[in-house]
Amino acid sequence: MNISNNEIGWNFDNTYLNLPEIFLSKINPVKVSSPELIIFNENLSNDLNLDFKSNSDTEIAKIFAGNVLPNGSECIAQAYAGHQFGYFTVLGDGRAVLLGEHTNKENNKFDIQLKGSGKTPYSRNGDGRAALGPMLREYLISEAMHGLNIPTTRALAVVKTGEKVFREKEMDGAILTRIASSHIRIGTFQYAAMQGKKDILEKLLNYTMKRHHPEILENKGQNKAIQIIEKLIEKQISLVVNWMRVGFIHGVLNTDNVSLAGETIDYGPCSYMDYYDPKTVFSSIDHQGRYSFNNQEIITHWNISRFAETLIPLINNDEDKAIKIGSKIIDSFGDKFKSQWLKMMKNKLGLINDIPNDEKLIFKFLNWMENNRVDYTNTFLYLMNSQNNNDAHYKSKTFQNIYAEWKNRIRKNKCSEKEVIKIMASNNPYYIPRNHIVEKSLYEATINNNMKEFNSLIQLYKNPYKKLENNANYQQPSSFEFTKKYQTFCGT
Ligand code: AMP
Ligand code: MG
């Protein structure tokens, strides 16, 4: 089968292959029997400067099923390790194949990876495959993340394979095409460090700097390992604080799921929280609440500590000295996080200048939401005067008191109300993926082969900060009963 691959505009330069051999295995996707295109991301394809106009859906499906390889691709599975729920394990792409690194006209580089593309040398006991439901879920949640202006890997396509996968029951198999600035993970550094060879670690560090922080390479003065730890702290704090801004719970923040590019990666048991409760966990396997909403700060701190450990040999030849230097940087995490988190919460509440007691006021709101099981997203919209006022919670005396205090505080801003609303509006989304709505659209898509609702959600989440008429039901939280029983899964 010959697909007019040339006109698509692939522009591969596969630099990962220049790393030492131990970092990868050359392997092609395993062909599937009947590829069928379920969804394709036209906007993203345009951003990548890829042009599929002369290709039929059948041809596109063959490409994103891995049956026909793009011109210039050199397929690999990447090796990595990771702490999963605190336990160190050697991992690797067990069900993913990187087609290659594509560069668009703006000179931005993107990994194009098929997820669910068959067994690799890292599959362990897995079948290398993925089911349609979880792949559509990743598509929807990651595209919503992008719409919320939060760094994330993205989804270019989902293709049904025409084959069944066996999980707790038989399911339709599918492959997701994931686009990422890179797939370098903390776990990749852990994998490099466990080789016990300084030059291997150094090669990965240099590669990462070149790809994500060329400015460090130019800064000859300071130790490079230290600089990259500092960069990762910055990026991960910004990422997690943004998640907390919109109520996102990643669900499985293992070190293999933390990207050096600072993007949200590995959408498994993730979800968006409705009722504010810092202890919220939806993941079916997270019995201790290790990855609960609020724990995301502590666990990110822990993950970055594991990252810093891998770099000890590159910080200083004297191990004790290196540990001392590394620890000092890691110890700065807490204060840095707190200050970014406060800034974010102040933006959500429209508290512009620094005034003593702002933090107290923030916690009054949060505690009230928690104690009264109130929706996180809608409470901020209520303050912006954008939410209908029928919810009895907002009529309660306790809330009215906090509201009055907030109104008073807002008057002390040294800017106009219009400016305040503008800041609040760009921090408080109207539409987040509501769990019951997501699940219903996935049920329709996977059980009834009906993509209508799914496609409407994709449209809706493109502009979540803009209020639309007649869409109030998309702002409704799931019922409390639904939320209590709701569980999410790793998507294997
Ligand atoms: P994740 O939960 O997606 O971060 O995956 C953890 C590890 O398990 C990674 O190394 C995956 O490649 C691997 N894995 C997950 N599902 C499968 C599967 N169905 N077959 C083989 N490996 C898998
Ligand atoms: Mg992972």
Side-chain angles (χ1 to χ4, degrees):
M1 237 289 312
N2 203 355
I3 291 176
S4 51
N5 233 329
N6 287 331
E7 286 129 46
I8 293 171
W10 300 111
N11 182 17
F12 284 106
D13 174 20
N14 307 316
T15 59
Y16 210 80
L17 283 148
N18 301 330
L19 280 172
E21 277 178 1
I22 52 135
F23 281 108
L24 56 104
S25 292
K26 291 185 187 172
I27 182 146
N28 283 349
V30 180
K31 288 188 183 175
V32 303
S33 62
S34 317
E36 179 193 340
L37 188 64
I38 300 299
I39 186 161
F40 180 70
N41 194 337
E42 200 84 46
N43 287 347
L44 178 56
S45 167
N46 290 338
D47 290 349
L48 295 171
N49 305 121
L50 294 174
D51 181 355
F52 293 92
K53 273 196 235 24
S54 3
N55 300 104
S56 65
D57 280 5
T58 317
E59 288 175 336
I60 298 174
K62 281 178 181 154
I63 297 171
F64 295 113
N67 284 16
V68 172
L69 296 175
N71 281 348
S73 76
E74 293 168 281
C75 300
I76 60 165
Q78 296 179 333
Y80 51 86
H83 274 94
Q84 299 194 299
F85 286 86
Y87 297 98
F88 186 75
T89 323
V90 181
L91 299 160
D93 290 330
R95 56 163 172 172
V97 161
L98 181 67
L99 297 180
E101 301 154 37
H102 167 82
T103 307
N104 73 357
K105 288 186 180 145
E106 278 151 20
N107 218 16
N108 294 321
K109 201 170 182 47
F110 300 93
D111 273 10
I112 301 189
Q113 190 199 56
L114 303 185
K115 185 168 168 183
S117 54
K119 282 191 188 168
T120 76
Y122 314 109
S123 295
R124 297 176 292 164
N125 295 323
D127 60 1
R129 291 296 182 193
L132 179 61
M135 293 306 100
L136 284 177
R137 195 167 188 278
E138 168 157 351
Y139 190 114
L140 185 65
I141 306 285
S142 63
E143 284 305 297
M145 190 66 82
H146 176 73
L148 288 161
N149 296 328
I150 301 176
T152 178
T153 63
R154 295 191 63 189
L156 182 61
V158 172
V159 167
K160 228 155 96 169
T161 59
E163 296 167 12
K164 297 289 179 195
V165 294
F166 300 91
R167 299 295 181 256
E168 61 278 14
K169 54 182 191 273
E170 192 183 80
M171 292 164 148
D172 283 329
I175 296 173
L176 172 107
T177 304
R178 175 160 72 179
I179 307 296
S181 294
S182 88
H183 284 85
I184 308 166
R185 308 147 186 271
I186 288 183
T188 319
F189 277 84
Q190 291 181 294
Y191 178 82
M194 72 182 233
Q195 311 301 321
K197 292 182 184 149
K198 197 172 158 184
D199 66 311
I200 288 196
L201 197 55
E202 204 154 23
K203 281 182 178 142
L204 180 63
L205 177 66
N206 282 328
Y207 179 80
T208 307
M209 286 188 298
K210 213 165 160 192
R211 198 138 174 201
H212 296 304
H213 294 290
E215 75 281 4
I216 300 183
L217 280 174
E218 281 153 28
N219 182 359
K220 299 258 187 302
Q222 223 201 336
N223 177 286
K224 294 184 173 43
I226 291 172
Q227 288 187 69
I228 207 144
I229 298 169
E230 281 171 340
K231 291 282 180 198
L232 192 65
I233 290 178
E234 219 173 90
K235 279 187 189 169
Q236 288 300 322
I237 288 179
S238 161
L239 185 64
V240 175
V241 165
N242 261 307
W243 290 347
M244 294 180 86
R245 176 170 65 78
V246 299
F248 181 74
I249 306 163
H250 182 285
V252 61
L253 271 181
N254 294 329
T255 55
D256 60 300
N257 297 341
V258 180
S259 154
L260 266 287
E263 291 171 344
T264 314
I265 191 170
D266 274 0
Y267 287 82
C270 57
S271 54
Y272 291 80
M273 172 180 70
D274 292 339
Y275 306 100
Y276 179 74
D277 179 352
K279 294 182 289 307
T280 305
V281 169
F282 291 113
S283 168
S284 61
I285 56 168
D286 189 1
H287 306 298
Q288 314 288 329
R290 181 179 171 94
Y291 301 132
S292 68
F293 180 71
N294 251 28
N295 245 23
Q296 297 185 112
E297 172 192 349
I298 292 162
I299 216 68
T300 300
H301 189 169
W302 191 88
N303 287 341
I304 296 179
S305 309
R306 304 291 77 73
F307 176 63
E309 276 166 13
T310 69
L311 292 172
I312 284 173
L314 302 181
I315 295 177
N316 200 296
N317 287 333
D318 178 333
E319 191 175 302
D320 288 341
K321 251 191 201 161
I323 292 174
K324 228 175 170 176
I325 299 169
S327 305
K328 202 169 159 214
I329 304 166
I330 294 296
D331 288 347
S332 69
F333 183 96
D335 287 346
K336 286 182 179 156
F337 190 96
K338 177 87 185 282
S339 105
Q340 291 302 310
W341 181 85
L342 267 179
K343 211 169 171 183
M344 175 277 286
M345 287 307 296
K346 286 181 61 171
N347 284 338
K348 275 179 88 64
L349 285 164
L351 312 179
I352 307 305
N353 322 96
D354 284 326
I355 289 184
N357 287 341
D358 277 352
E359 190 176 339
K360 261 194 191 152
L361 184 57
I362 291 169
F363 278 104
K364 272 188 193 169
F365 270 109
L366 292 177
N367 291 339
W368 174 79
M369 278 188 254
E370 184 182 351
N371 295 336
N372 295 281
R373 291 183 194 152
V374 187
D375 187 69
Y376 183 64
T377 303
N378 289 345
T379 298
F380 296 97
L381 295 175
Y382 178 87
L383 298 180
M384 285 161 58
N385 244 343
S386 298
Q387 183 68 357
N388 76 48
N389 300 355
N390 290 334
D391 190 328
H393 283 115
Y394 303 123
K395 297 196 171 101
S396 73
K397 197 150 189 298
T398 340
F399 180 76
Q400 284 302 323
N401 284 341
I402 304 173
Y403 185 80
E405 195 181 321
W406 173 75
K407 269 277 180 202
N408 255 334
R409 164 62 185 85
I410 289 294
R411 283 188 206 106
K412 294 181 188 146
N413 282 333
K414 291 193 187 99
C415 60
S416 70
E417 194 165 318
K418 212 170 146 198
E419 280 169 280
V420 177
I421 293 292
K422 203 171 154 201
I423 291 172
M424 291 176 80
S426 61
N427 283 280
N428 295 317
Y430 285 96
Y431 308 104
I432 57 158
R434 299 289 188 174
N435 296 320
H436 66 293
I437 293 174
V438 169
E439 294 307 324
K440 187 164 167 279
S441 79
L442 291 177
Y443 182 87
E444 285 299 318
T446 55
I447 308 294
N448 296 335
N449 289 323
N450 180 354
M451 290 290 288
K452 193 166 166 255
E453 184 62 13
F454 187 91
N455 287 328
S456 327
L457 291 182
I458 292 288
Q459 287 307 320
L460 181 71
Y461 299 145
K462 274 188 182 149
N463 288 306
Y465 298 98
K466 195 168 159 235
K467 188 172 185 169
L468 302 173
E469 295 309 317
N470 307 322
N471 263 352
N473 53 334
Y474 289 109
Q475 289 183 257
Q476 290 303 313
S478 306
S479 72
F480 195 66
E481 283 312 301
F482 178 98
T483 303
K484 243 175 30 192
K485 290 190 203 133
Y486 188 54
Q487 278 200 320
T488 53
F489 302 90
C490 277
T492 55

